[in-house]
Amino acid sequence: MGPLATARSARGRARQEAGAARDPRNAVDRVLHLVARRACQVAGVSTCSAYLRDRDGVFRGRAIHNPVRADALNWLRRSQAGIDADEFTREIVESRLPVLITDAQHDPRPVRAAMREWGIRSMLGVPMIADDEVVGVLFLDNRGEPRSYTVDDKLKLLALANLGAIAVGFAQRAEAAESSARGLARRNRALERARAVEDELTRCVLEGGGIADIARRAADMTGKPCAVLDGELEPLAVGHAPGGLSAWSAGMRSPRLVAAAESLGPSMHTLVEPQPAAGLYRRLLLVRGPQGGGDCFVVLAEHGGTLNAFDTLVAEHATALVALQLATARRTPGAGAQPPARAVADPEGLGRWAEAQGVDAESPHLVCLVRWRSADSGAATLLAELQTALDEAAPCGAPPCLAYGDGVAVLLPWLADTGAQAPSAPPWLVAALEQLAAAGRVAAAVSGVSRSGGDCARAVAECERMLRWSAGRGGEEPVQVVDRASLGPAGLLLSCCDPDAMGAYARELLGDLDDGSRARSRQLETLRLFFERGRSIRAVAAALGVHENTVRYRLAKVRQATGLDVVADPTGQLAAQLALLAQEASGAS
């Protein structure tokens, strides 16, 4: 390569380095690395590290050229120069001239531990001066090789360091300008988002939307479930997260949320941390309405991502609009936000009420139907007394309750990870029912798992069949609770079949075995034990205290009476078991 090509190559590299130094992204470190590399070339040494003074007056490592070890840069950025034990740096700063240490291993001025760790024999420190102030320091060494410097070398390095200090000043101002521009852009984007949120929610109201529409729109915008509560923390409306969680199952009645609401001032917001012991499994954002409007709260539950500033923005705008609607309704005669329904007469109405309480496809729940068995009081009295009992017994307050027909419907959250094989009445529900026993005997039925408000009609019908079955069996206990867990396999039949129809099916299939005679009763008892003992004739004989041939004789009589070969035919065995389950589920056994 000729001299001309060499000069062009050098100019090209210089332009690239100058462009990199002007890059506002991490510009200061780029400038310092360029200065360190040039210092190594001027001094003829292998390594140069650059320290920059921060606002506290401490010199912190920022760049290194040609490091000895792979972790050198990380070590450098954790290190400080100019501390009490570093007399070397203080001498450089005070003299404002290059300072040379020829025997770094024994000289008391530098930090001896660092000199030993890096095996430094000699080191030259050069101040970086700009505007008559030392803004940084360059440290040059030759990887354990001793190195002497002439006066000319020191003057060249000092001039280079001072030019580097000026370039660092430009880079810092460029970084500040870039940071300011980014901050301004973020503020502009935030204002645009705020305007979009306000426009979206305001348009929802102008189009005739009510509180429920505001809750749904807020949930759609944030991707998080939203609940609107009145001043007493009773739900006014619930909006579901797209594809996700319902807000009422996120612990809206937990003591921690209640305490946060009581301490919150108008137009303020707070984060409520999870409280699993009280049913609060997710972090909540709680926003209170402005002063002068209707007292209300908006709750967003963490779902699909952490709660952020945008969620707060949406919740604040939603709260303001809800408060405005409540205040307008309060001042307008005959108008107002409709309070939550307190009674319905049909399963479809119960389903609509459940949807308003926040039941969706991702929040499994159970329906419990409670009725008096002996008292003359109506559903309204039962509702009031049951809610009082549930407030005391439930770990996070009474679940949603509603008068339904001559009883009360209760929505119970179902936790799939409880380990239960079948839905059952939780202990706190049984405890609440026992509190009502003083006023009269009660019966309760708990349905299988439902996964939407539309499932309520099916769940209520299942509870009705369970209560009919329970009433047919009689019993004088003050509290009767039936559920899938207590019914066993018969509960599956009750979930989809009417007890009368199941009784007819059992009578048709079992035939003369159900005529009530002594001999037939023995045969029927033997048939039940045959299935309970795993179809073992020997086990049945031992349980009844009879000979095995007696068991075979009775099972032969069963085949003669029903046409079902329960000993050898699997189809006959299945039919007989279904008939016995239907008989049990119908209450005819």
Side-chain angles (χ1 to χ4, degrees):
M1 183 181 293
L4 183 59
T6 302
R8 288 176 178 172
S9 177
R11 286 196 298 271
R13 287 195 301 271
R15 282 195 296 269
Q16 291 177 357
E17 292 168 352
R22 288 193 299 268
D23 189 345
R25 297 170 297 179
N26 205 20
V28 173
D29 288 344
R30 291 175 181 270
V31 168
L32 289 172
H33 187 271
L34 174 60
V35 171
R37 184 169 60 181
R38 286 301 190 195
C40 287
Q41 294 172 355
V42 170
V45 297
S46 60
T47 305
C48 178
S49 57
Y51 284 69
L52 201 62
R53 194 170 196 165
D54 61 15
R55 294 179 179 178
D56 298 330
V58 179
F59 292 91
R60 301 182 187 276
R62 295 290 295 268
I64 185 171
H65 173 65
N66 200 14
V68 179
R69 297 190 327 219
D71 63 339
L73 184 58
N74 290 333
W75 181 91
L76 181 78
R77 288 179 174 171
R78 293 195 303 269
S79 66
Q80 299 178 2
I83 59 177
D84 293 340
D86 187 6
E87 298 180 5
F88 180 37
T89 302
R90 289 206 301 274
E91 183 178 344
I92 297 169
V93 174
E94 291 172 1
S95 66
R96 300 193 176 196
L97 292 172
V99 177
L100 175 64
I101 292 179
T102 57
D103 186 5
Q105 296 293 322
H106 301 93
D107 196 303
R109 289 175 293 175
V111 179
R112 300 279 293 280
M115 299 298 106
R116 287 194 298 267
E117 180 177 354
W118 295 95
I120 297 173
R121 294 285 301 277
S122 64
M123 175 174 282
L124 178 68
V126 183
M128 300 175 65
I129 303 173
D131 295 331
D132 201 30
E133 182 180 356
V134 179
V135 298
V137 179
L138 301 179
F139 294 103
L140 296 94
D141 69 89
N142 206 31
R143 292 190 178 179
E145 299 273 341
R147 174 73 164 84
S148 61
Y149 297 86
T150 65
V151 174
D152 188 50
D153 291 337
K154 295 179 181 179
L155 292 176
K156 288 179 181 179
L157 289 171
L158 183 59
L160 176 62
N162 292 341
L163 289 174
I166 296 172
V168 165
F170 282 119
Q172 287 175 330
R173 287 190 286 273
E175 280 190 349
E178 179 69 15
S179 177
S180 177
R182 288 196 298 267
L184 182 60
R186 284 195 299 269
R187 287 192 292 273
N188 288 337
R189 287 194 297 270
L191 288 173
E192 291 174 1
R193 295 181 77 182
R195 186 167 57 251
V197 167
E198 187 174 0
D199 290 346
E200 180 75 11
L201 293 175
T202 303
R203 183 166 55 251
C204 172
V205 174
L206 293 177
E207 291 172 354
I211 293 176
D213 298 294
I214 295 174
R216 285 192 290 269
R217 194 69 61 92
D220 289 340
M221 294 172 70
T222 61
K224 297 175 174 63
C226 173
V228 179
L229 314 178
D230 63 13
E232 302 298 323
L233 298 182
E234 291 294 331
L236 296 176
V238 173
H240 304 310
L245 177 80
S246 70
W248 71 266
S249 63
M252 290 196 301
R253 294 176 178 269
S254 70
R256 184 168 291 177
L257 179 63
V258 173
E262 291 175 350
S263 63
L264 206 59
S267 301
M268 295 180 65
H269 68 271
T270 187
L271 292 175
V272 183
E273 297 299 327
Q275 190 180 12
L280 178 57
Y281 297 98
R282 292 179 180 266
R283 203 177 185 208
L284 302 181
L285 170 66
L286 179 66
V287 182
R288 188 165 195 167
Q291 191 170 10
D295 194 14
C296 63
F297 298 88
V298 167
V299 180
L300 286 179
E302 201 166 60
H303 172 68
T306 58
L307 294 163
N308 52 47
F310 179 72
D311 299 328
T312 304
L313 178 67
V314 173
E316 287 176 342
H317 281 295
T319 308
L321 290 175
V322 170
L324 180 62
Q325 287 210 349
L326 292 175
T328 303
R330 186 179 60 202
R331 295 165 185 163
T332 304
Q338 295 298 321
R342 304 299 293 169
V344 294
D346 58 274
E348 289 74 18
L350 185 62
R352 290 190 296 271
W353 171 77
E355 293 286 357
Q357 294 298 310
V359 179
D360 70 357
E362 295 298 326
S363 60
H365 63 282
L366 313 176
V367 174
C368 175
L369 198 57
V370 184
R371 285 179 179 160
W372 293 116
R373 295 178 62 207
S374 58
D376 296 331
S377 302
T381 302
L382 177 60
L383 175 62
E385 295 188 7
L386 181 60
Q387 280 190 316
T388 301
L390 287 173
D391 274 327
E392 297 177 2
C396 51
C401 301
L402 181 75
Y404 176 77
D406 57 350
V408 173
V410 185
L411 291 183
L412 305 175
W414 167 252
L415 301 179
D417 57 352
T418 57
Q421 296 299 315
S424 59
W428 51 264
L429 174 63
V430 177
L433 294 174
E434 289 173 348
Q435 294 184 36
L436 303 181
R441 292 186 300 156
V442 292
V446 180
S447 73
V449 179
S450 299
R451 298 188 179 275
S452 71
D455 280 350
C456 279
R458 176 197 58 76
V460 167
E462 179 183 353
C463 290
E464 295 274 12
R465 290 190 288 269
M466 287 183 177
L467 289 175
R468 284 181 57 192
W469 174 84
S470 176
R473 295 178 67 89
E476 297 299 322
E477 58 268 27
V479 177
Q480 281 189 351
V481 181
V482 288
D483 50 37
R484 287 278 189 92
S486 62
L487 289 173
L492 179 62
L493 296 178
L494 276 174
S495 69
C496 54
C497 301
D498 183 77
D500 293 339
M502 286 189 289
Y505 171 80
R507 288 190 296 273
E508 178 182 348
L509 205 61
L510 296 177
D512 293 340
L513 285 181
D514 202 21
D515 64 3
S517 66
R518 183 177 180 182
R520 292 303 189 189
S521 296
R522 287 177 176 175
Q523 294 165 12
L524 193 60
E525 180 187 14
T526 301
L527 180 61
R528 285 200 181 91
L529 279 173
F530 180 66
F531 291 119
E532 291 175 3
R533 296 296 190 273
R535 299 190 296 275
S536 170
I537 291 178
R538 179 176 298 177
V540 174
L544 293 175
V546 299
H547 195 274
E548 293 181 17
N549 287 338
T550 303
V551 175
R552 293 188 179 94
Y553 172 79
R554 292 179 182 178
L555 293 178
K557 286 295 184 180
V558 168
R559 178 177 182 179
Q560 185 178 7
T562 63
L564 301 175
D565 183 2
V566 298
V567 176
D569 182 15
T571 302
Q573 293 172 354
L574 177 62
Q577 283 184 291
L578 286 175
L580 291 175
L581 283 176
Q583 186 185 60
E584 179 184 355
S586 67
S589 58

